[in-house]
Amino acid sequence: DLADALTAEVARPFNLAEGPFLRVALWRTGPDEHVLLLVLHHAAADGWSVGVLLREAAALYAGHALPPLGLTVYDWAQAVRQRDTAADVAFWRDWLADAVPPRLPMQERGGPGLVRRGLPAGLADAARALRVTPFVLGAAAWAAVLARRADAPDLLLGTVLAGRDHPETEAFVGMLVQTLPLRLDLRDDPVGETLAARMMAALEVAHAHRGAPFDAIVGAGGQAGAGADALLPHLVVLQNQPWPSGGLPGLVAEEVV
């Protein structure tokens, strides 16, 4: 059936040596009903890119030409490679010198996994009262729980940035996200405004030194060659990338997967 076909197509591995990194499939499920599946490898596109693809598909379907890119992904990648990252790498080497990645007790691990949660009702109001964003407050709460569960009051936690600091990059389809460590001192069990301020400070530190490539950060943390999850086994991420609205002209479209 359709569900099995979708599952099989999503599970089919990519050939990373030859590509392609995008697969498209279309099923006709009725006289006027179809299901379109886009399967992207994360090496070629991040969550933001999906919104870009959908907007461009809608524009082309409506007969509009796509505006030219003033800057290409290749240009951006070349510029990133040419950055002088020595100062940022040196910072992370000092900052992470004695950091210990938190490990949950064996009975609570359950192997690698992804937990998705909507933002709780009232979080925005509570964050506004503390003069921080909902992400800062939510991440701070998660940090407090993780620190207690893992018995790691000097907490090392990861997050990601969109990596689209310039307006030209907002139209890119590519893997631009940056993974960064957050280090928080929670030994005095801070709560409320103090806890939120610690998370805000950690985010500001990470943002200020985001120029270092992630593999260099992993190496600076003493985990070179061990993989990203050796340094940052826990990530907290806010999925708020922009999605297109309005659908396709003459069609009613809805997300099914």
Side-chain angles (χ1 to χ4, degrees):
D1 62 1
L2 178 61
D4 291 338
L6 289 169
T7 300
E9 185 59 31
V10 169
R12 186 159 62 91
F14 287 89
N15 185 331
L16 298 183
E18 300 179 5
F21 297 97
L22 166 65
R23 298 198 300 265
V24 182
L26 182 69
W27 287 267
R28 184 175 184 180
T29 57
D32 298 309
E33 185 173 286
H34 298 77
V35 173
L36 175 67
L37 176 68
L38 304 178
V39 186
L40 282 160
H41 194 282
H42 220 333
D46 51 24
W48 186 298
S49 300
V50 177
V52 175
L53 281 172
L54 294 177
R55 282 193 298 275
E56 292 186 348
L60 292 172
Y61 188 85
H64 303 308
L66 299 179
L69 290 174
L71 182 72
T72 67
V73 175
Y74 177 79
D75 296 331
W76 171 83
Q78 289 293 97
V80 169
R81 291 192 187 100
Q82 293 169 8
R83 291 176 184 167
D84 183 358
T85 63
D88 285 329
V89 173
F91 167 82
W92 289 116
R93 187 175 297 113
D94 291 340
W95 188 248
L96 300 172
D98 57 349
V100 178
R103 303 291 174 183
L104 288 171
M106 184 63 70
Q107 66 269 24
E108 296 188 30
R109 292 181 190 174
L114 175 67
V115 178
R116 295 183 184 272
R117 292 289 186 272
L119 295 180
L123 180 65
D125 291 338
R128 192 178 302 112
L130 295 174
R131 299 186 298 279
V132 297
T133 66
F135 171 69
V136 169
L137 185 54
W142 167 237
V145 171
L146 179 60
R148 182 165 297 183
R149 288 290 196 184
D151 192 21
D154 180 8
L155 183 67
L156 193 60
L157 182 65
T159 191
V160 299
L161 302 179
R164 298 173 186 259
D165 298 334
H166 303 287
E168 296 92 338
T169 61
E170 293 182 2
F172 284 175
V173 173
M175 181 59 179
L176 277 69
V177 298
Q178 296 173 275
T179 303
L180 293 171
L182 306 172
R183 191 171 183 181
L184 297 90
D185 184 354
L186 305 179
R187 283 172 286 194
D188 57 342
D189 291 324
V191 297
E193 187 174 359
T194 303
L195 177 60
R198 300 266 177 95
M199 176 56 72
M200 191 68 208
L203 286 163
E204 288 173 349
V205 166
H207 196 270
H209 298 282
R210 66 190 184 281
F214 185 59
D215 58 344
I217 295 175
V218 173
Q223 303 291 339
D229 59 345
L231 178 68
L232 299 175
H234 305 282
L235 297 176
V236 58
V237 180
L238 176 63
Q239 298 284 4
N240 65 341
Q241 62 268 16
W243 290 92
S245 59
L248 302 175
L251 297 178
V252 176
E254 61 179 346
E255 186 177 354
V256 296
V257 177

